[in-house]
Amino acid sequence: MKKSFAEVLAIKNGRNQKAVENPAGPYPIYGSGGIIGRADDFICNSQTVIIGRKGTINNPIFVNEPFWNVDTAFGLEANKDIVYPKYLFYFCKSYDFESLNTTVTIPSLTKNNLLKIQMPIVSLDEQKKIATEFDKIQSAIDNKKQQLSLLDEAVKSEFVEMFGENPVESGKWKITTLGKIAEIGSSKRIFASEYVASGIPFYRSKEIIELSKNLKPSVELFISKERYEEIKNKNGVPEIGDILMTAVGTIGKFWEVNTDKPFYYKDGNLVYIRCKIFNSTFFRYILESLIEAFKQQNLVGSAYSALTIDRLKQMTVPMIELDLQNKFAAFVQQIDKSKFVVKKQIADLQELFDSKMQEYFGE
């Protein structure tokens, strides 16, 4: 049996928070993306689902306390005689709210369209059972993600233990500039007219960020094999051990090239860094610390938008002994093996979660 949202819930419109805003207020203020402040009053009761009215419209949030929602977010309050609130939340996670988008600019939803949504209704006991099943899977996923965070922290701690908080300023090692020890540059420009339907993958920042997270790149652009071979023979292409880094917009996402399969990359937004005298894994972590320092220095008062090749070349690096570099890299490799196992477990759990979504809420 299915019922419409109009039959099973009430939609609470958000309102401007200025009159109730208080940093020490007892109630959170929610926008479509999460908490944005505190308030002295609330609009929605606990166990309400937030859906974005404008902007982020496909990210349901379950809130277990009373809260104030701003005018870009709807609160969906379940009629608890018909719908278990957590069951409503998981249905909302399965639903594609983008399909109800009413604009071509900023994504937007209307109350009338939301009230027409049909959702499957089973007994309250069955709803609770289903919601509990999802809770357990989600909790397992969250725990695995926490394990990944702890593994990342272990690497950072080992780096500090071996080299200090700031190896450049420690005085233990000689200092040089990045431009003296590394080749830094960008690609040759590829024009839109040179894209082909299939061929050699052409990576942009989007794909490099995916690769930096060990995700399969969602390649959408290609260049011909002939054009690739022309560039390779004349100018060279990235090699295993080279580092590709995002340098415009989202700065400092690194991919250490780990494949000899042909690919090319977009000029301007990405730079390549090749250093033959450092262990590539150690070098990547040195770069990450340099870029983080750059971002901190350039975030004061305004957002940074680009890191130039010239600025990269001027950055200073410590000339740490190769045996220490290799020791650190070996530690990272062990951690990476553990991360690979955990990521596989997360993927399996997510696949289970998605299959359950299809089982309970699919057409």
Side-chain angles (χ1 to χ4, degrees), residues 54-246:
K54 185 177 291 186
T56 305
I57 65 174
N58 225 12
N59 180 40
I61 302 171
F62 187 79
V63 185
N64 230 337
E65 61 180 323
F67 64 92
W68 185 280
N69 50 314
V70 299
D71 60 4
T72 58
F74 289 123
L76 309 184
E77 284 195 3
N79 178 341
K80 295 181 181 179
D81 292 330
I82 305 174
V83 177
Y84 183 58
K86 245 332 182 34
Y87 178 82
L88 170 63
F89 167 67
Y90 284 115
F91 169 77
C92 287
K93 283 184 71 70
S94 77
Y95 192 84
D96 180 19
F97 289 96
E98 293 284 354
S99 66
L100 302 179
N101 182 19
T102 58
T103 69
V104 294
T105 53
I106 300 175
S108 300
L109 297 175
T110 67
K111 192 172 181 178
N112 285 339
N113 282 342
L114 284 174
L115 290 172
K116 295 175 185 177
I117 292 174
Q118 298 281 320
M119 67 178 293
I121 299 295
V122 293
S123 70
L124 283 171
D125 285 343
E126 185 65 18
Q127 290 180 41
K128 291 176 182 177
K129 180 180 177 182
I130 290 170
T132 299
E133 187 173 2
F134 280 123
D135 280 345
K136 289 179 179 178
I137 300 172
Q138 187 61 57
S139 178
I141 291 173
D142 293 342
N143 286 337
K144 293 298 178 183
K145 289 181 177 179
Q146 179 63 24
Q147 287 183 31
L148 283 182
S149 296
L150 291 173
L151 289 168
D152 286 336
E153 287 300 318
V155 172
K156 293 177 183 177
S157 296
E158 182 70 8
F159 184 91
V160 172
E161 179 70 23
M162 292 183 66
F163 310 114
E165 290 281 356
N166 191 331
V168 171
E169 297 180 358
S170 68
K172 293 183 178 179
W173 295 280
K174 293 180 180 179
I175 303 301
T176 189
T177 59
L178 199 53
K180 290 181 178 179
I181 63 166
E183 180 183 337
I184 304 172
S186 189
S187 66
K188 297 303 173 184
R189 189 172 185 186
I190 299 294
F191 295 94
S193 60
E194 298 181 88
Y195 299 152
V196 295
S198 62
I200 305 300
F202 184 70
Y203 294 158
R204 301 157 297 174
S205 294
K206 175 175 175 285
E207 287 80 20
I208 294 302
I209 291 172
E210 290 169 341
L211 286 161
S212 75
K213 297 177 181 178
N214 293 316
L215 300 174
K216 183 178 180 180
S218 50
V219 183
E220 299 171 350
L221 300 177
F222 301 87
I223 61 173
S224 68
K225 184 177 180 181
E226 291 75 18
R227 181 68 172 117
Y228 171 81
E229 291 294 338
E230 178 187 351
I231 294 170
K232 180 179 179 181
N233 294 331
K234 187 174 181 180
N235 306 109
V237 295
E239 304 172 358
I240 291 177
D242 289 354
I243 291 173
L244 288 179
M245 185 189 79
T246 57

